[in-house]
Amino acid sequence: MANGTGPLGGGNARPTMADIARELGVAKITVSRALSDSPTVKESTRRLIRDTAERMGYRLNISARNLRQQRTRTIAVVIEMAPSHDRLMSEPYPLSLLGGIMQELTAAGQNMVLTTIELFAQHPPSADGVILLGQGVHDDAAAAIEATGLPYVVWGAAHGPPGRVVVGSDNRAGGRLAADYLRARRRRALLFLGETQHGEVEDRLQGFADALKGSDAAVIDRIACAFTAAAGREAVDRLLAEGTAFDGVFAASDAIAMGAIEALQARGLSVPGDVSVVGFDDSPGAAIVSPKLTTIRQDWAVGGELLAKKVLDLVAGKGADSRAMGVELVARES
Amino acid sequence: MANGTGPLGGGNARPTMADIARELGVAKITVSRALSDSPTVKESTRRLIRDTAERMGYRLNISARNLRQQRTRTIAVVIEMAPSHDRLMSEPYPLSLLGGIMQELTAAGQNMVLTTIELFAQHPPSADGVILLGQGVHDDAAAAIEATGLPYVVWGAAHGPPGRVVVGSDNRAGGRLAADYLRARRRRALLFLGETQHGEVEDRLQGFADALKGSDAAVIDRIACAFTAAAGREAVDRLLAEGTAFDGVFAASDAIAMGAIEALQARGLSVPGDVSVVGFDDSPGAAIVSPKLTTIRQDWAVGGELLAKKVLDLVAGKGADSRAMGVELVARES
DNA sequence: ATGAAAGCGCTAACAT
DNA sequence: ATGTTAGCGCTTTCAT
């Protein structure tokens, strides 16, 4: 029973500035000025025009303005992954990053179009700038964006060319914090769980390994695994089945850590009795699982705001620099 | 060190179809036709034009096309909430819902712009249709969208006017399933936790209460609480402090349920020994917490796809109907 | 198979 | 304080 706004239109097409101008006997440029609050329009005229516009149900044609002004007031947010169901949930770029971006763009009166990198490469949306979430294993995504010539910023790790603006957490510092935590608990045989092809994860491992140098603790194994609980569970289960012994785990995400804990408990091992586990992200479930998960908190919302600010600066021709945001260890039970 | 695409431009502005046409000595309309794969252009001409366009770095000006064609190939997705950090975090529904929407829109070659209802009301983005996520307590959000005259669909509960297209889970059925589960476990004094101002939650409670009729079990109390673990914890803690006795809980979200379990355990009560708990959503953490949470699963990704399909149908003038999607009880330990 | 003209709705630049 | 002119880049319509 939907009616939409069919093109039958009994003469009720959306009115334009010209319609309002004709109605009032003014020039359409005056309408334009009045509606955009130009100070050169007399207050009374402005009020008259605004009221008439409202009465007639006028709405600005944004495509026309964009065409005329050669800009879009739109930032494209590109998610560097196929839009598959389970991946979206488990990837470490949750909605809070989008929330931060949205908050900042909204405040600046900018629109935000969301695409995947595939779609972006095929039909780049009209936008003044681009925020890329995740760089992917190779630099394909960034390359696709560079091809458009649009200014862009990236969430992730600063492994790309030096001029690129990257915002991300200080993943090395996160790795160091995890190492310190495990060392303070006298853990020596440590496991790292995470896909180090992923730049951020690589940094986490690097910080982790660095901080262990010169101590009696060491990374005895590193397992590439996806950002999911299932992957963490399987990895740990396999190791235990093989008889690998370890007493500490640093996982590249909380989901992985939770999966690891499950696998440990399923084999009768206690966390943190036998094995200590540190996750990454401080995701919502971390405080609720049993044992409560010790983890490295990164502030995505702030990251999102920074991304948005920086891309807007670039769009405005103001320049911007990369930023590694501080992280924090949240010591809970694990 | 960012350079952007400064307006200094040594004559290197983005080329237009006219530029390509001049370069090749053809009419710009021929360029237009060639680039849009019109069959009336000779194959050799098309190839020539495409190659030249690529060589010159041509990119379609979407604003111009939109203006000329009077449409945008864009769907606005409106999030009916302030982009506040914790709500976004604790409310997982938008993320997978967005995934489904994106998948479907992407496949249809549509762009997706994301806004909040506030921003939408101030500056409606240019879009051919709207997907509204969540209706809010009153009907404000839907009203703001209706004011634009754009076709729209809503995620939530079908409590609005009859013509409105609503996609959502069958929340009443979810409530019934929860009731059946608790009855089968001989639970009699039941608690409902959730904000029934929220249409979906209201339906969950209604189905729940309906299914209890004529049994010896009953809802002894219903507490309005936000969708967070903290709210669930506080609500249950307060009740226990007051000495209220109950042996079953149905929570409007998994987060609430997890908070409730925490509070129960903190007071030395066992789940499910003393109290059974049913959540809603089957969110990622549900299978990992201890005890593993029994919950009602709703498939957001499919919901997102449906929303997108239906709004595209409306945009195409094809009509669409509302849909309550089936839910499923996932019996775990709680 | 290709082209010329017109115009989508808006605003910058230059009058008045 | 208001108006005139022109044109953003594209595609529809009507020739040829």
Side-chain angles (χ1 to χ4, degrees):
Chain A
M1 298 309 153
N3 53 11
T5 37
L8 328 162
N12 61 353
R14 253 170 62 174
T16 70
M17 287 188 178
D19 295 326
I20 298 172
R22 201 174 313 114
E23 175 95 1
L24 291 164
V26 299
K28 59 182 182 172
I29 184 66
T30 306
V31 176
S32 172
R33 291 203 260 246
L35 294 180
S36 58
D37 277 324
S38 157
T40 71
V41 174
K42 208 176 16 176
E43 177 55 30
S44 59
T45 316
R46 182 194 351 266
R47 200 180 305 273
L48 178 63
I49 289 174
R50 296 205 93 105
D51 291 352
T52 310
E54 175 139 9
R55 176 168 55 73
M56 296 175 69
Y58 173 79
R59 294 208 313 117
L60 177 66
N61 182 317
I62 289 164
S63 296
R65 182 181 62 182
N66 286 347
L67 174 60
R68 178 65 241 228
Q69 299 191 326
Q70 302 285 67
R71 69 185 164 141
T72 66
R73 295 167 194 259
T74 295
I75 299 295
V77 175
V78 177
I79 300 189
E80 195 280 316
M81 61 175 144
S84 101
H85 306 166
D86 40 318
R87 273 198 71 192
L88 255 183
M89 283 304 291
S90 52
E91 283 288 332
Y93 306 121
L95 200 58
S96 40
L97 204 45
L98 286 182
I101 293 171
M102 211 155 99
Q103 175 148 307
E104 200 59 32
L105 291 183
T106 295
Q110 298 278 322
N111 281 124
M112 159 176 171
V113 347
L114 200 59
T115 54
T116 60
I117 185 64
E118 289 87 359
L119 184 61
F120 184 92
Q122 284 166 37
H123 314 283
S126 66
D128 300 331
V130 182
I131 295 173
L132 172 60
L133 301 187
Q135 303 147 292
V137 171
H138 301 298
D139 220 28
D140 308 341
I145 289 171
E146 243 155 32
T148 65
L150 291 171
Y152 72 99
V153 300
V154 181
W155 171 267
H159 289 181
R164 179 176 299 167
V165 179
V166 179
V167 175
S169 291
D170 189 339
N171 292 294
R172 284 195 186 81
R176 271 180 252 124
L177 289 172
D180 294 348
Y181 176 88
L182 292 173
R183 282 180 60 188
R185 273 150 195 77
R186 310 258 166 265
R187 305 305 181 170
R188 302 211 168 130
L190 309 181
L191 202 60
F192 181 83
L193 300 178
E195 175 53 81
T196 51
Q197 297 265 49
H198 198 290
E200 297 172 80
V201 175
E202 187 189 340
D203 284 357
R204 286 170 204 173
L205 172 56
Q206 201 165 78
F208 188 62
D210 278 0
L212 294 176
K213 272 180 194 148
S215 81
D216 53 355
V219 178
I220 58 149
D221 210 345
R222 45 186 85 168
I223 312 289
C225 82
F227 285 101
T228 63
R233 195 184 321 119
E234 278 159 33
V236 165
D237 201 57
R238 187 158 32 77
L239 284 172
L240 292 175
E242 289 168 1
T244 309
F246 53 88
D247 58 6
V249 175
F250 177 34
S253 83
D254 285 353
I256 297 173
M258 292 177 195
I261 291 174
E262 258 192 288
L264 287 164
Q265 292 175 338
R267 298 243 173 200
L269 290 166
S270 147
V271 177
D274 301 310
V275 182
S276 285
V277 178
V278 180
F280 210 104
D281 289 347
D282 194 22
S283 43
I288 294 170
V289 291
S290 168
K292 292 177 184 161
L293 189 62
T294 294
T295 184
I296 311 293
R297 173 184 295 160
Q298 50 178 340
D299 195 336
W300 280 310
V302 170
E305 290 167 28
L306 274 173
L307 284 166
K309 271 185 198 140
K310 285 178 189 292
V311 77
L312 290 177
D313 282 348
L314 290 184
V315 169
K318 278 197 285 188
D321 48 8
S322 293
R323 169 78 159 278
M325 300 191 309
V327 295
E328 174 186 3
L329 184 131
V330 182
R332 294 204 181 92
E333 298 168 357
S334 72
Chain B
M1 295 306 159
N3 52 12
T5 37
L8 326 163
N12 61 352
R14 251 170 64 174
T16 71
M17 288 186 177
D19 294 327
I20 298 173
R22 201 174 314 114
E23 175 94 2
L24 268 57
V26 299
K28 60 181 180 173
I29 182 61
T30 305
V31 176
S32 172
R33 290 203 260 246
L35 293 180
S36 59
D37 278 324
S38 158
T40 71
V41 175
K42 208 176 14 176
E43 176 56 29
S44 60
T45 317
R46 185 200 341 272
R47 201 180 303 273
L48 179 62
I49 289 174
R50 296 206 91 105
D51 291 352
T52 311
E54 175 140 7
R55 176 168 55 75
M56 296 175 70
Y58 173 77
R59 294 209 313 117
L60 177 66
N61 182 317
I62 289 164
S63 296
R65 182 182 63 183
N66 287 346
L67 173 59
R68 179 64 240 223
Q69 297 190 329
Q70 302 285 67
R71 65 174 170 159
T72 66
R73 294 166 196 259
T74 295
I75 299 295
V77 175
V78 176
I79 299 188
E80 196 281 317
M81 60 173 134
S84 105
H85 306 166
D86 40 318
R87 266 203 78 191
L88 279 170
M89 284 293 287
S90 55
E91 198 50 287
Y93 88 63
L95 194 46
S96 32
L97 211 43
L98 282 182
I101 292 171
M102 213 154 98
Q103 174 148 305
E104 200 59 31
L105 292 183
T106 295
Q110 297 279 322
N111 281 124
M112 160 176 171
V113 349
L114 199 59
T115 55
T116 60
I117 185 64
E118 290 87 0
L119 183 60
F120 184 92
Q122 285 166 36
H123 314 284
S126 68
D128 300 331
V130 182
I131 295 173
L132 172 60
L133 301 186
Q135 304 147 291
V137 173
H138 301 299
D139 219 29
D140 309 340
I145 289 171
E146 242 155 33
T148 66
L150 291 171
Y152 72 99
V153 300
V154 181
W155 172 267
H159 289 180
R164 179 177 298 168
V165 179
V166 179
V167 175
S169 292
D170 189 339
N171 292 293
R172 284 193 186 82
R176 271 182 252 124
L177 290 172
D180 294 347
Y181 176 86
L182 292 173
R183 282 179 60 188
R185 273 151 195 77
R186 311 257 168 265
R187 305 305 180 169
R188 304 215 166 127
L190 310 181
L191 202 59
F192 180 84
L193 300 178
E195 175 54 81
T196 51
Q197 298 264 50
H198 199 288
E200 298 172 81
V201 176
E202 187 188 340
D203 285 357
R204 287 171 203 173
L205 172 56
Q206 202 166 78
F208 188 62
D210 279 359
L212 294 175
K213 272 181 194 148
S215 80
D216 53 354
V219 178
I220 59 149
D221 210 346
R222 46 186 86 167
I223 312 290
C225 82
F227 285 99
T228 63
R233 194 183 322 119
E234 278 158 32
V236 165
D237 202 57
R238 188 159 30 77
L239 283 173
L240 292 175
E242 289 168 1
T244 308
F246 54 87
D247 57 8
V249 175
F250 177 35
S253 83
D254 286 351
I256 298 173
M258 292 177 194
I261 290 174
E262 256 191 289
L264 287 163
Q265 290 175 338
R267 298 241 174 203
L269 290 166
S270 146
V271 177
D274 302 310
V275 181
S276 286
V277 177
V278 180
F280 211 105
D281 289 347
D282 194 23
S283 43
I288 294 172
V289 292
S290 162
K292 291 177 184 159
L293 190 62
T294 293
T295 185
I296 311 292
R297 172 184 297 160
Q298 50 178 340
D299 195 336
W300 282 310
V302 170
E305 290 166 29
L306 275 172
L307 284 166
K309 271 184 198 143
K310 284 176 189 294
V311 78
L312 290 176
D313 282 348
L314 290 184
V315 168
K318 279 198 284 188
D321 48 9
S322 293
R323 168 79 159 278
M325 300 191 309
V327 296
E328 174 188 2
L329 183 129
V330 182
R332 295 203 181 93
E333 299 169 355
S334 72

